[in-house]
mmCIF file of all heavy atoms in Angstrom:
data_model
loop_
_atom_site.group_PDB
_atom_site.id
_atom_site.type_symbol
_atom_site.label_atom_id
_atom_site.label_comp_id
_atom_site.label_asym_id
_atom_site.label_seq_id
_atom_site.Cartn_x
_atom_site.Cartn_y
_atom_site.Cartn_z
ATOM 1 N N ILE O 1 33.560 55.797 -13.398
ATOM 2 C CA ILE O 1 34.227 55.095 -14.484
ATOM 3 C C ILE O 1 33.275 54.852 -15.640
ATOM 4 O O ILE O 1 33.667 54.984 -16.817
ATOM 5 C CB ILE O 1 34.838 53.782 -13.936
ATOM 6 C CG1 ILE O 1 35.961 54.077 -12.947
ATOM 7 C CG2 ILE O 1 35.334 52.900 -15.092
ATOM 8 C CD1 ILE O 1 36.505 52.862 -12.246
ATOM 9 N N GLU O 2 32.036 54.454 -15.349
ATOM 10 C CA GLU O 2 31.064 54.248 -16.472
ATOM 11 C C GLU O 2 30.842 55.545 -17.189
ATOM 12 O O GLU O 2 30.655 55.489 -18.426
ATOM 13 C CB GLU O 2 29.778 53.672 -15.873
ATOM 14 C CG GLU O 2 29.882 52.250 -15.356
ATOM 15 C CD GLU O 2 30.414 51.341 -16.455
ATOM 16 O OE1 GLU O 2 29.842 51.289 -17.579
ATOM 17 O OE2 GLU O 2 31.408 50.597 -16.183
ATOM 18 N N GLU O 3 30.768 56.635 -16.559
ATOM 19 C CA GLU O 3 30.574 57.901 -17.319
ATOM 20 C C GLU O 3 31.796 58.234 -18.170
ATOM 21 O O GLU O 3 31.660 58.748 -19.290
ATOM 22 C CB GLU O 3 30.314 59.058 -16.328
ATOM 23 C CG GLU O 3 30.137 60.401 -17.066
ATOM 24 C CD GLU O 3 29.317 61.399 -16.287
ATOM 25 O OE1 GLU O 3 28.480 61.029 -15.494
ATOM 26 O OE2 GLU O 3 29.536 62.596 -16.519
ATOM 27 N N GLU O 4 32.988 57.932 -17.680
ATOM 28 C CA GLU O 4 34.193 58.119 -18.466
ATOM 29 C C GLU O 4 34.164 57.273 -19.724
ATOM 30 O O GLU O 4 34.582 57.664 -20.829
ATOM 31 C CB GLU O 4 35.446 57.875 -17.644
ATOM 32 C CG GLU O 4 35.641 58.819 -16.503
ATOM 33 C CD GLU O 4 36.140 60.233 -16.982
ATOM 34 O OE1 GLU O 4 36.970 60.240 -17.849
ATOM 35 O OE2 GLU O 4 35.643 61.179 -16.451
ATOM 36 N N ARG O 5 33.624 56.025 -19.573
ATOM 37 C CA ARG O 5 33.485 55.153 -20.741
ATOM 38 C C ARG O 5 32.528 55.798 -21.742
ATOM 39 O O ARG O 5 32.797 55.799 -22.951
ATOM 40 C CB ARG O 5 32.952 53.791 -20.310
ATOM 41 C CG ARG O 5 32.909 52.748 -21.429
ATOM 42 C CD ARG O 5 32.092 51.519 -21.084
ATOM 43 N NE ARG O 5 32.370 51.015 -19.774
ATOM 44 C CZ ARG O 5 33.391 50.212 -19.435
ATOM 45 N NH1 ARG O 5 34.216 49.820 -20.392
ATOM 46 N NH2 ARG O 5 33.566 49.783 -18.186
ATOM 47 N N ARG O 6 31.436 56.340 -21.275
ATOM 48 C CA ARG O 6 30.473 56.991 -22.164
ATOM 49 C C ARG O 6 31.048 58.207 -22.863
ATOM 50 O O ARG O 6 30.717 58.535 -23.979
ATOM 51 C CB ARG O 6 29.199 57.392 -21.345
ATOM 52 C CG ARG O 6 28.469 56.194 -20.810
ATOM 53 C CD ARG O 6 27.066 56.545 -20.325
ATOM 54 N NE ARG O 6 27.032 57.384 -19.165
ATOM 55 C CZ ARG O 6 26.978 56.937 -17.869
ATOM 56 N NH1 ARG O 6 26.965 55.663 -17.650
ATOM 57 N NH2 ARG O 6 26.942 57.802 -16.884
ATOM 58 N N LEU O 7 31.963 58.924 -22.199
ATOM 59 C CA LEU O 7 32.676 60.041 -22.819
ATOM 60 C C LEU O 7 33.430 59.605 -24.049
ATOM 61 O O LEU O 7 33.399 60.232 -25.084
ATOM 62 C CB LEU O 7 33.598 60.700 -21.830
ATOM 63 C CG LEU O 7 33.115 61.950 -21.028
ATOM 64 C CD1 LEU O 7 34.138 62.320 -20.004
ATOM 65 C CD2 LEU O 7 32.864 63.090 -22.029
ATOM 66 N N LEU O 8 34.177 58.472 -23.919
ATOM 67 C CA LEU O 8 34.928 57.972 -25.112
ATOM 68 C C LEU O 8 33.960 57.587 -26.178
ATOM 69 O O LEU O 8 34.183 57.844 -27.363
ATOM 70 C CB LEU O 8 35.783 56.816 -24.687
ATOM 71 C CG LEU O 8 36.575 56.117 -25.766
ATOM 72 C CD1 LEU O 8 37.531 57.088 -26.504
ATOM 73 C CD2 LEU O 8 37.388 54.923 -25.247
ATOM 74 N N TYR O 9 32.856 56.941 -25.834
ATOM 75 C CA TYR O 9 31.889 56.536 -26.840
ATOM 76 C C TYR O 9 31.296 57.743 -27.524
ATOM 77 O O TYR O 9 31.163 57.733 -28.803
ATOM 78 C CB TYR O 9 30.744 55.805 -26.100
ATOM 79 C CG TYR O 9 29.549 55.439 -26.959
ATOM 80 C CD1 TYR O 9 29.589 54.346 -27.773
ATOM 81 C CD2 TYR O 9 28.367 56.224 -26.901
ATOM 82 C CE1 TYR O 9 28.477 53.999 -28.583
ATOM 83 C CE2 TYR O 9 27.260 55.834 -27.647
ATOM 84 C CZ TYR O 9 27.332 54.771 -28.501
ATOM 85 O OH TYR O 9 26.223 54.430 -29.273
ATOM 86 N N VAL O 10 31.006 58.836 -26.834
ATOM 87 C CA VAL O 10 30.490 60.085 -27.440
ATOM 88 C C VAL O 10 31.511 60.586 -28.433
ATOM 89 O O VAL O 10 31.196 60.974 -29.548
ATOM 90 C CB VAL O 10 30.102 61.107 -26.365
ATOM 91 C CG1 VAL O 10 29.843 62.466 -27.008
ATOM 92 C CG2 VAL O 10 28.875 60.651 -25.617
ATOM 93 N N ALA O 11 32.765 60.651 -27.988
ATOM 94 C CA ALA O 11 33.818 61.160 -28.874
ATOM 95 C C ALA O 11 33.937 60.331 -30.159
ATOM 96 O O ALA O 11 34.006 60.893 -31.226
ATOM 97 C CB ALA O 11 35.179 61.185 -28.117
ATOM 98 N N MET O 12 33.914 59.019 -30.038
ATOM 99 C CA MET O 12 34.061 58.147 -31.220
ATOM 100 C C MET O 12 32.896 58.302 -32.138
ATOM 101 O O MET O 12 33.090 58.287 -33.367
ATOM 102 C CB MET O 12 34.177 56.674 -30.718
ATOM 103 C CG MET O 12 35.432 56.410 -29.973
ATOM 104 S SD MET O 12 35.506 54.709 -29.317
ATOM 105 C CE MET O 12 35.614 53.769 -30.860
ATOM 106 N N THR O 13 31.659 58.473 -31.658
ATOM 107 C CA THR O 13 30.494 58.548 -32.530
ATOM 108 C C THR O 13 30.275 59.915 -33.148
ATOM 109 O O THR O 13 29.269 60.141 -33.785
ATOM 110 C CB THR O 13 29.230 58.094 -31.749
ATOM 111 O OG1 THR O 13 29.155 58.857 -30.502
ATOM 112 C CG2 THR O 13 29.329 56.617 -31.410
ATOM 113 N N ARG O 14 31.224 60.871 -32.945
ATOM 114 C CA ARG O 14 31.144 62.129 -33.663
ATOM 115 C C ARG O 14 31.687 61.945 -35.076
ATOM 116 O O ARG O 14 31.487 62.872 -35.959
ATOM 117 C CB ARG O 14 31.985 63.201 -32.944
ATOM 118 C CG ARG O 14 31.628 63.576 -31.511
ATOM 119 C CD ARG O 14 30.164 63.832 -31.313
ATOM 120 N NE ARG O 14 29.470 62.629 -30.867
ATOM 121 C CZ ARG O 14 28.159 62.481 -30.948
ATOM 122 N NH1 ARG O 14 27.366 63.393 -31.442
ATOM 123 N NH2 ARG O 14 27.614 61.356 -30.459
ATOM 124 N N ALA O 15 32.470 60.929 -35.379
ATOM 125 C CA ALA O 15 33.176 60.797 -36.678
ATOM 126 C C ALA O 15 32.267 60.155 -37.716
ATOM 127 O O ALA O 15 31.613 59.154 -37.481
ATOM 128 C CB ALA O 15 34.404 59.931 -36.451
ATOM 129 N N LYS O 16 32.290 60.704 -38.903
ATOM 130 C CA LYS O 16 31.564 60.199 -40.029
ATOM 131 C C LYS O 16 32.359 59.227 -40.884
ATOM 132 O O LYS O 16 31.918 58.101 -41.180
ATOM 133 C CB LYS O 16 31.016 61.371 -40.928
ATOM 134 C CG LYS O 16 30.062 62.292 -40.180
ATOM 135 C CD LYS O 16 29.879 63.590 -40.926
ATOM 136 C CE LYS O 16 29.054 63.424 -42.186
ATOM 137 N NZ LYS O 16 28.737 64.745 -42.784
ATOM 138 N N ASP O 17 33.602 59.592 -41.237
ATOM 139 C CA ASP O 17 34.367 58.805 -42.146
ATOM 140 C C ASP O 17 35.672 58.284 -41.579
ATOM 141 O O ASP O 17 36.080 57.143 -41.822
ATOM 142 C CB ASP O 17 34.711 59.625 -43.430
ATOM 143 C CG ASP O 17 33.508 60.104 -44.136
ATOM 144 O OD1 ASP O 17 32.466 59.423 -44.080
ATOM 145 O OD2 ASP O 17 33.526 61.174 -44.767
ATOM 146 N N ASP O 18 36.413 59.131 -40.809
ATOM 147 C CA ASP O 18 37.721 58.756 -40.319
ATOM 148 C C ASP O 18 37.805 59.125 -38.852
ATOM 149 O O ASP O 18 37.443 60.250 -38.422
ATOM 150 C CB ASP O 18 38.814 59.510 -41.062
ATOM 151 C CG ASP O 18 38.876 59.133 -42.540
ATOM 152 O OD1 ASP O 18 39.177 57.928 -42.821
ATOM 153 O OD2 ASP O 18 38.565 59.927 -43.402
ATOM 154 N N LEU O 19 38.351 58.195 -38.052
ATOM 155 C CA LEU O 19 38.494 58.360 -36.632
ATOM 156 C C LEU O 19 39.889 57.984 -36.225
ATOM 157 O O LEU O 19 40.383 56.915 -36.582
ATOM 158 C CB LEU O 19 37.500 57.512 -35.880
ATOM 159 C CG LEU O 19 37.570 57.436 -34.344
ATOM 160 C CD1 LEU O 19 37.353 58.859 -33.736
ATOM 161 C CD2 LEU O 19 36.586 56.483 -33.788
ATOM 162 N N HIS O 20 40.574 58.912 -35.498
ATOM 163 C CA HIS O 20 41.922 58.677 -35.039
ATOM 164 C C HIS O 20 41.975 58.790 -33.526
ATOM 165 O O HIS O 20 41.668 59.857 -32.955
ATOM 166 C CB HIS O 20 42.935 59.745 -35.629
ATOM 167 C CG HIS O 20 42.842 59.876 -37.071
ATOM 168 N ND1 HIS O 20 43.904 59.495 -37.893
ATOM 169 C CD2 HIS O 20 41.936 60.363 -37.922
ATOM 170 C CE1 HIS O 20 43.563 59.723 -39.179
ATOM 171 N NE2 HIS O 20 42.351 60.234 -39.181
ATOM 172 N N LEU O 21 42.306 57.743 -32.829
ATOM 173 C CA LEU O 21 42.435 57.791 -31.349
ATOM 174 C C LEU O 21 43.965 57.748 -31.086
ATOM 175 O O LEU O 21 44.657 56.808 -31.436
ATOM 176 C CB LEU O 21 41.794 56.559 -30.748
ATOM 177 C CG LEU O 21 40.322 56.320 -31.021
ATOM 178 C CD1 LEU O 21 39.801 55.084 -30.283
ATOM 179 C CD2 LEU O 21 39.480 57.521 -30.683
ATOM 180 N N VAL O 22 44.460 58.835 -30.511
ATOM 181 C CA VAL O 22 45.865 59.034 -30.400
ATOM 182 C C VAL O 22 46.365 58.701 -28.947
ATOM 183 O O VAL O 22 45.742 59.165 -27.990
ATOM 184 C CB VAL O 22 46.288 60.485 -30.766
ATOM 185 C CG1 VAL O 22 47.779 60.585 -30.878
ATOM 186 C CG2 VAL O 22 45.581 60.902 -32.058
ATOM 187 N N VAL O 23 47.395 57.870 -28.891
ATOM 188 C CA VAL O 23 47.864 57.324 -27.600
ATOM 189 C C VAL O 23 49.337 57.758 -27.413
ATOM 190 O O VAL O 23 50.229 57.095 -27.891
ATOM 191 C CB VAL O 23 47.775 55.802 -27.567
ATOM 192 C CG1 VAL O 23 48.205 55.241 -26.223
ATOM 193 C CG2 VAL O 23 46.326 55.357 -27.912
ATOM 194 N N PRO O 24 49.571 58.861 -26.708
ATOM 195 C CA PRO O 24 50.944 59.259 -26.431
ATOM 196 C C PRO O 24 51.549 58.358 -25.337
ATOM 197 O O PRO O 24 50.897 58.058 -24.364
ATOM 198 C CB PRO O 24 50.805 60.739 -25.955
ATOM 199 C CG PRO O 24 49.454 60.799 -25.458
ATOM 200 C CD PRO O 24 48.592 59.850 -26.235
ATOM 201 N N GLN O 25 52.798 58.001 -25.527
ATOM 202 C CA GLN O 25 53.453 57.160 -24.532
ATOM 203 C C GLN O 25 53.779 57.993 -23.265
ATOM 204 O O GLN O 25 53.861 57.485 -22.162
ATOM 205 C CB GLN O 25 54.706 56.542 -25.100
ATOM 206 C CG GLN O 25 54.435 55.579 -26.262
ATOM 207 C CD GLN O 25 55.672 55.103 -26.941
ATOM 208 O OE1 GLN O 25 56.781 55.350 -26.441
ATOM 209 N NE2 GLN O 25 55.528 54.484 -28.088
ATOM 210 N N ARG O 26 54.012 59.286 -23.434
ATOM 211 C CA ARG O 26 54.256 60.156 -22.312
ATOM 212 C C ARG O 26 53.372 61.389 -22.507
ATOM 213 O O ARG O 26 53.171 61.910 -23.564
ATOM 214 C CB ARG O 26 55.727 60.595 -22.283
ATOM 215 C CG ARG O 26 56.736 59.551 -22.126
ATOM 216 C CD ARG O 26 58.146 60.062 -22.287
ATOM 217 N NE ARG O 26 58.640 60.797 -21.115
ATOM 218 C CZ ARG O 26 59.095 62.074 -21.165
ATOM 219 N NH1 ARG O 26 59.114 62.722 -22.263
ATOM 220 N NH2 ARG O 26 59.506 62.648 -20.029
ATOM 221 N N PHE O 27 52.782 61.822 -21.374
ATOM 222 C CA PHE O 27 52.012 63.080 -21.465
ATOM 223 C C PHE O 27 52.200 63.874 -20.163
ATOM 224 O O PHE O 27 52.533 63.308 -19.123
ATOM 225 C CB PHE O 27 50.513 62.842 -21.754
ATOM 226 C CG PHE O 27 49.769 62.224 -20.600
ATOM 227 C CD1 PHE O 27 49.050 63.003 -19.735
ATOM 228 C CD2 PHE O 27 49.731 60.834 -20.423
ATOM 229 C CE1 PHE O 27 48.303 62.470 -18.679
ATOM 230 C CE2 PHE O 27 49.012 60.263 -19.392
ATOM 231 C CZ PHE O 27 48.307 61.103 -18.516
#
């Protein structure tokens, strides 16, 4: 679980100006 948290952190810190986290209600 801690590694999965770090994955999200890595994804977020790739953005310079704009970051969009998309949450589909169904997938």
Side-chain angles (χ1 to χ4, degrees):
I1 292 174
E2 289 305 307
E3 179 157 331
E4 294 287 318
R5 186 194 314 278
R6 294 193 293 268
L7 264 173
L8 177 58
Y9 174 80
V10 168
M12 293 174 67
T13 53
R14 300 311 94 198
K16 297 165 72 174
D17 300 332
D18 295 294
L19 174 62
H20 307 249
L21 306 182
V22 191
V23 183
Q25 296 172 11
R26 299 173 75 235
F27 71 95

